Amino acid sequence: MVGKRERPVKVSGKPKHSLDVNRDNGKGKSSNGRSASTVRRLKMYNTRPVRDSKGKVLKHDLQSKELPSTRIMPDRRWFGNTRVVNQKELTFFREELQNLRSSNYNVILKERKIPYSLLNDHQKQARVHLLNTETFADTFGPKSKRKRPKLIACDYESLAKRADGSQDAFEEKHGAGPSADGAEHEFKDFVRHTMFEKGQSKRIWGELYKVIDSSDVVIQVLDARDPQGTRCYHLEKHLKENCKHKHMILLLNKCDLVPTWATKGWLRILSKEYPTLAFHASINKSFGKGSLLSVLRQFSRLKSDKQTISVGFVGYPNVGKSSVINTLRTKNVCKVAPIPGETKVWQYITLTKRIFLIDCPGVVYQNSDTETDIVLKGVVRVTNLEDASEHIGEVLKRVKKEHLVRAYKIGDWEDDHDFLFQLCKSTGKLLRGGEPDLMTAAKMVLHDWQRGKIPFFVPPPKQEDEESDKPDKASVEQMLNDKESENPDNGDGDSVALIAIEDIVKKQQIDEVPVNTDLFSELELKGES
């Protein structure tokens, strides 16, 4: 019997297969082998799961060996409502929540645990029971009944009378229209140049709502010279109605251009509605920086459920939003300029590990301002004005004569044209042939107005009883007790944060505010003139 021939086996010890780990790793000149790590990786690609005849995975090297238990523990609480509240307690809780929301110094903690679906009684979502009004058999089918439709008015005269009555009721409720304000509004020029609509485009409003949606705290920067004129009531109403969980702070910037008594008066008045702070933006010599940083730290303590909080800065153009951010960072992180419209898009700036700042372009809100009001609020760049001299008359009305005499060394003038004529002569702004360059002189005056070289401010309304301006201590203590009763676990930290914010706002009404004394006389600084 002839035996089978055995295949010769090489016993040299050198592996030849490309997937052998012990093979040469290719360090030689003529070798193209794979390294051990490459071989292990290629073998990993070839792993396949072990399946049964039905295709179910029985074993897989990359699958976890310990599978979690997916069985739900049976409990009677899954099938019954264990938290029951009667109608009387629900009504009482709604009233208490509404009272707390009415004050901007109160903060609702742990909002996710509040059943808003029970507290918000939406009448719009109430279902209409049509079958109770009219049955299906009376409307459709062989026994249907045709009814005469209920009309509001039978004829044209009754309809016109009803429309007049509804218009009168609307005017009594919301006030008369612009035609009833006076004769000056009847001939208002509604066709304006596009430059007077700066800050009202859809892109700018989109940037504003991006900042609002991304912010936990919204700081509205106001010009201390005219706080009510640079305030946005539309934004405040939007936050109260749609963003109740966001907090707002009013910041009076450029307080160095206003006497101390005026700044403190505005602080007392505005603090009734929102926490209000005075501020002077300057990297080297600032005022209010410590107070603002302390308030932001307290808000970050209130938002302890979040890792970071975002603070958005909104307001009119040229009120100093970017300058405030640079002051908080103590370096130039935002581009600033004494002209409106320098910030084009929103941008994030890191203040601390927990606090981020958001800069927003200046937004102008629709109101009944004239073109002169828009220019004097700093919305329009003076260099783009076609006729700057037509706005000088309002400047002469708002600024005291003694300030203009001290600033431009002009003794007396008859009207705005005479004032510009004398200013051109004194400053040498002349055209060919000795003609006065009224346009250049007018732009120079408007530049000085926007940059604060001409002193002007709106005084706060006088308060008869100044004791009523101070916050009520008992009400603050009651608010803190309510917070502690609602959140006993975190009551101490939240109460300390609320007390700290209240103390910071009170302290600024006592502190001395820096003022540029060269702009005002001694009587104006004391508030006697």
Side-chain angles (χ1 to χ4, degrees):
M1 185 174 180
V2 181
K4 292 184 179 180
R5 250 180 108 178
E6 294 183 0
R7 297 178 61 183
V9 179
K10 296 183 179 181
V11 291
S12 61
K14 294 183 180 179
K16 295 297 184 182
H17 197 273
S18 61
L19 292 180
D20 197 331
V21 179
N22 299 320
R23 193 182 176 206
D24 188 10
N25 58 0
K27 292 183 179 180
K29 295 182 179 179
S30 61
S31 60
N32 295 320
R34 297 179 175 137
S35 62
S37 60
T38 305
V39 170
R40 285 193 297 269
R41 179 168 53 83
L42 293 175
K43 285 185 176 181
M44 182 188 68
Y45 293 156
N46 292 329
T47 56
R48 297 287 186 272
V50 179
R51 300 176 182 269
D52 58 3
S53 59
K54 295 182 179 181
K56 185 178 179 181
V57 178
L58 300 178
K59 182 181 178 183
H60 197 350
D61 293 339
L62 303 179
Q63 188 178 14
S64 176
K65 302 299 186 295
E66 298 177 359
L67 294 178
S69 177
T70 57
R71 182 174 179 271
I72 300 175
M73 181 180 296
D75 197 335
R76 60 179 298 180
R77 289 180 295 178
W78 294 109
F79 308 101
N81 187 7
T82 58
R83 296 184 180 182
V84 182
V85 61
N86 57 23
Q87 188 63 33
K88 189 175 180 180
E89 292 178 353
L90 186 61
T91 305
F92 175 75
F93 195 74
R94 283 175 181 170
E95 294 175 356
E96 289 294 321
L97 185 64
Q98 189 66 27
N99 294 335
L100 289 176
R101 281 182 174 178
S102 60
S103 176
N104 293 295
Y105 287 93
N106 295 335
V107 180
I108 299 177
L109 303 175
K110 298 185 180 178
E111 298 177 346
R112 298 177 182 177
K113 295 187 178 181
I114 298 178
Y116 280 108
S117 59
L118 293 176
L119 302 178
N120 296 331
D121 189 10
H122 296 289
Q123 297 180 357
K124 296 180 180 179
Q125 298 179 358
R127 297 183 63 182
V128 180
H129 300 283
L130 295 176
L131 295 179
N132 295 342
T133 306
E134 193 170 2
T135 61
F136 186 85
D138 293 340
T139 308
F140 304 100
K143 296 183 179 180
S144 62
K145 299 176 183 179
R146 291 192 63 185
K147 291 185 177 181
R148 184 173 296 175
K150 296 179 181 180
L151 300 176
I152 299 176
C154 300
D155 52 358
Y156 180 75
E157 294 179 357
S158 60
L159 182 63
K161 186 176 180 180
R162 184 181 178 86
D164 293 338
S166 62
Q167 183 178 359
D168 295 339
F170 179 81
E171 289 179 356
E172 289 179 2
K173 184 177 181 181
H174 300 281
S179 60
D181 291 344
E184 66 264 9
H185 294 285
E186 294 182 1
F187 304 99
K188 185 177 177 180
D189 187 12
F190 288 95
V191 181
R192 287 179 174 176
H193 196 277
T194 54
M195 84 173 73
F196 294 103
E197 297 178 357
K198 294 294 184 183
Q200 301 181 17
S201 62
K202 290 184 178 180
R203 187 190 70 82
I204 295 293
W205 278 94
E207 297 289 325
L208 172 67
Y209 283 110
K210 285 181 193 175
V211 173
I212 293 175
D213 293 341
S214 305
S215 303
D216 300 303
V217 180
V218 179
I219 297 181
Q220 187 177 180
V221 184
L222 307 177
D223 194 335
R225 296 174 291 180
D226 186 11
Q228 299 289 10
T230 55
R231 191 173 171 184
C232 177
Y233 296 97
H234 169 77
L235 178 60
E236 296 173 11
K237 183 180 178 183
H238 171 73
L239 290 179
K240 283 183 178 180
E241 293 179 355
N242 304 320
C243 307
K244 297 177 182 178
H245 59 284
K246 299 181 186 294
H247 311 286
M248 174 170 279
I249 303 174
L250 300 181
L251 195 68
L252 291 177
N253 193 22
K254 304 181 181 180
C255 63
D256 59 316
L257 304 178
V258 178
T260 304
W261 61 269
T263 304
K264 292 184 177 181
W266 281 117
L267 285 176
R268 285 195 299 270
I269 293 171
L270 297 176
S271 293
K272 297 178 182 178
E273 304 178 32
Y274 294 98
T276 308
L277 299 174
F279 200 87
H280 169 48
S282 175
I283 294 179
N284 299 323
K285 298 180 180 178
S286 61
F287 174 78
K289 177 181 176 181
S291 301
L292 182 58
L293 289 174
S294 301
V295 170
L296 294 181
R297 289 194 190 99
Q298 301 306 325
F299 274 118
S300 67
R301 291 180 65 182
L302 286 175
K303 300 282 186 180
S304 57
D305 56 333
K306 293 187 175 182
Q307 293 183 353
T308 60
I309 66 167
S310 299
V311 182
F313 289 81
V314 299
Y316 261 74
N318 205 27
V319 294
K321 299 180 290 297
S322 302
S323 301
V324 172
I325 294 176
N326 289 343
T327 304
L328 295 178
R329 282 296 309 273
T330 324
K331 65 178 181 179
N332 292 319
V333 293
C334 296
K335 191 176 180 182
V336 295
I339 54 177
E342 188 64 28
T343 305
K344 306 296 182 185
V345 294
W346 71 319
Q347 51 184 335
Y348 256 91
I349 295 97
T350 304
L351 181 62
T352 62
K353 290 182 179 179
R354 288 209 60 198
I355 303 175
F356 290 88
L357 309 178
I358 309 176
D359 192 12
C360 179
V363 182
V364 179
Y365 317 101
Q366 292 184 355
N367 46 31
S368 58
D369 289 346
T370 61
E371 293 184 359
T372 302
D373 294 335
I374 294 173
V375 172
L376 297 184
K377 283 184 179 180
V379 177
V380 181
R381 296 191 180 187
V382 177
T383 54
N384 298 335
L385 293 174
E386 295 180 358
D387 187 8
S389 59
E390 63 182 6
H391 309 294
I392 301 300
E394 187 66 24
V395 175
L396 300 182
K397 290 180 183 179
R398 298 189 183 187
V399 183
K400 292 183 178 180
K401 188 175 181 179
E402 55 189 31
H403 297 317
L404 295 172
V405 171
R406 184 173 66 245
Y408 298 109
K409 305 296 187 294
I410 298 176
D412 194 10
W413 58 85
E414 297 178 358
D415 53 3
D416 53 345
H417 183 78
D418 185 28
F419 175 79
L420 292 177
F421 185 80
Q422 296 186 37
L423 182 61
C424 290
K425 278 191 172 182
S426 62
T427 56
K429 306 294 183 183
L430 303 175
L431 298 173
R432 183 178 299 177
E435 291 291 330
D437 191 359
L438 301 179
M439 182 66 67
T440 303
K443 288 184 178 181
M444 183 175 66
V445 174
L446 293 178
H447 271 300
D448 295 342
W449 168 277
Q450 289 188 355
R451 300 180 185 187
K453 295 181 180 179
I454 302 177
F456 161 77
F457 65 94
V458 177
K462 295 182 180 179
Q463 301 291 324
E464 296 179 359
D465 187 10
E466 296 202 356
E467 293 296 328
S468 62
D469 296 341
K470 298 179 181 179
D472 189 5
K473 258 189 180 179
S475 63
V476 174
E477 291 177 0
Q478 182 65 31
M479 179 187 69
L480 295 176
N481 293 333
D482 294 341
K483 296 299 177 188
E484 291 178 1
S485 61
E486 292 176 8
N487 304 279
D489 299 336
N490 198 21
D492 296 338
D494 298 330
S495 60
V496 170
L498 291 170
I499 292 175
I501 293 175
E502 193 74 26
D503 291 341
I504 293 168
V505 175
K506 288 180 185 177
K507 185 181 177 183
Q508 269 221 334
Q509 299 178 11
I510 305 174
D511 293 344
E512 284 296 327
V513 182
V515 184
N516 190 353
T517 55
D518 297 337
L519 298 177
F520 304 99
S521 61
E522 294 183 0
L523 294 177
E524 287 178 329
L525 292 175
K526 295 178 181 179
E528 298 177 0
S529 61

